[in-house]
Amino acid sequence: MLATVYAPAALAWGGRGHAVIDQAALDTLPDDGPVFLRRYAEYIGEEAGAPDTWRSSSEPFSKIDEDPNHTWFVERLRFLDPVPRSRYAFVLALHREHERVVKTDPKAAERLNVRWTGTMPYAVMEGYGRIVAGMRSLRSKRSKGEPTAHIEQTLAFYTAWMSHYIADGTNPHHVSIHCEGWFGDNPRNYNRSGGIHGHFEIGYADSIDLQPADFEKRIGVPQRQEGDLFTHVLTFLNESSRDVETIFALDKRGVLADPASREGREFVYRRSAAGAAMLRDLLTRAWKESARPGEGDPRPQDPAGPHYDPETGSAPAPLTAP
């Protein structure tokens, strides 16, 4: 087991939530996985909060770029079938939908944009790609007997970076329009205050002293090692979104104000285990993928290519099924 987690300053999912999910994922890596990352567990847990520091209004360009990566509001994205396999194709499709809706419902169109829908699955997949590429470099250096400390630390940071979005997606608030209090029609009179978000992912996680040992046995063996990875990520986020009303119901009954509540603890443990399993699965799969040479369309930006998209200037990401 890794050392006890001490929560730093509050961040999305709280410093504790990010660190605990990361540590549980590293603890449950299989022996043939990227176990070298365990040596950087404390570093990964601490740096997992970095993406939130890129969202300050004092750094507007960074904030504009980063804000959408932390959400995926599924209720606004049901018009997408399928979800585009390119961040830029997604932005263009979303803009076209905004232009369509604004003609009949300007109020709804106000939030039918990148900031108020999110780009979380793209942030996860882009992070995964960085990790696979870095792991290939690590394998190459090992084979040549070259030092690997620097590339290992780079991979630890890439892991922390990607893990942030996975942990955010673990909290149903981050994948629902009800991110900052119940939004829209409210027949059950749920909490409309934005404070419920932080109260759940920071206040309650801290109040129960959430630790990896609380839920590691729930994580199970690695999954998602076959089939299309982007589809797995979307499924993970959709499954999380189905739990958003549970948070509001628990809050309404006072469960989230009671650290002794078994029901409240079980919900946090279940969601934390889901996030840790997802991160562990992606790291395990990335390590396996990095053992193979890089393959695929060598020039997706070639206009003569069969899948080239002239709107984005590149072919979309292909289906993956290792």
Side-chain angles (χ1 to χ4, degrees), residues 16-191:
R16 177 183 298 275
H18 281 292
V20 166
I21 287 171
D22 289 357
Q23 290 193 5
L26 297 174
D27 275 352
T28 55
L29 284 170
D31 291 342
D32 60 350
V35 293
F36 70 90
L37 287 171
R38 290 177 182 158
R39 296 197 294 272
Y40 301 89
E42 184 177 353
Y43 172 81
I44 290 170
E46 181 175 341
E47 290 301 308
D52 274 334
T53 71
W54 307 334
R55 302 174 67 191
S56 172
S57 296
S58 59
E59 287 77 52
F61 282 88
S62 176
K63 178 176 177 60
I64 290 168
D65 174 70
E66 185 61 26
D67 271 351
N69 290 335
H70 299 250
T71 55
W72 184 248
F73 295 161
V74 296
E75 298 93 339
R76 292 198 180 106
L77 295 166
R78 291 182 177 133
F79 72 93
L80 291 170
D81 185 20
V83 176
R85 300 182 65 81
S86 156
R87 177 187 285 264
Y88 300 112
F90 165 74
V91 171
L92 289 166
L94 183 59
H95 177 67
R96 284 192 286 269
E97 181 68 1
H98 171 91
E99 292 291 282
R100 184 187 71 81
V101 172
V102 76
K103 296 174 183 177
T104 57
D105 192 346
K107 189 65 177 176
E110 285 181 0
R111 297 199 174 199
L112 196 58
N113 52 50
V114 175
R115 176 59 183 85
W116 291 106
T117 58
T119 54
M120 186 183 289
Y122 302 103
V124 172
M125 292 302 300
E126 290 155 6
Y128 178 84
R130 294 183 194 100
I131 290 171
V132 172
M135 287 179 172
R136 269 199 203 102
S137 295
L138 172 61
R139 288 180 182 276
S140 176
K141 288 179 180 294
R142 283 182 175 178
S143 70
K144 298 173 184 175
E146 297 175 357
T148 60
H150 290 166
I151 187 61
E152 286 184 6
Q153 187 161 6
T154 297
L155 281 163
F157 180 72
Y158 286 167
T159 297
W161 185 359
M162 181 183 73
S163 79
H164 185 99
Y165 308 123
I166 293 171
D168 275 2
T170 298
N171 177 357
H173 280 129
H174 282 265
V175 286
S176 170
I177 60 173
H178 307 297
C179 183
E180 301 295 342
W182 194 263
F183 182 83
D185 294 340
N186 192 10
R188 294 182 175 85
N189 196 31
Y190 288 141
N191 193 338

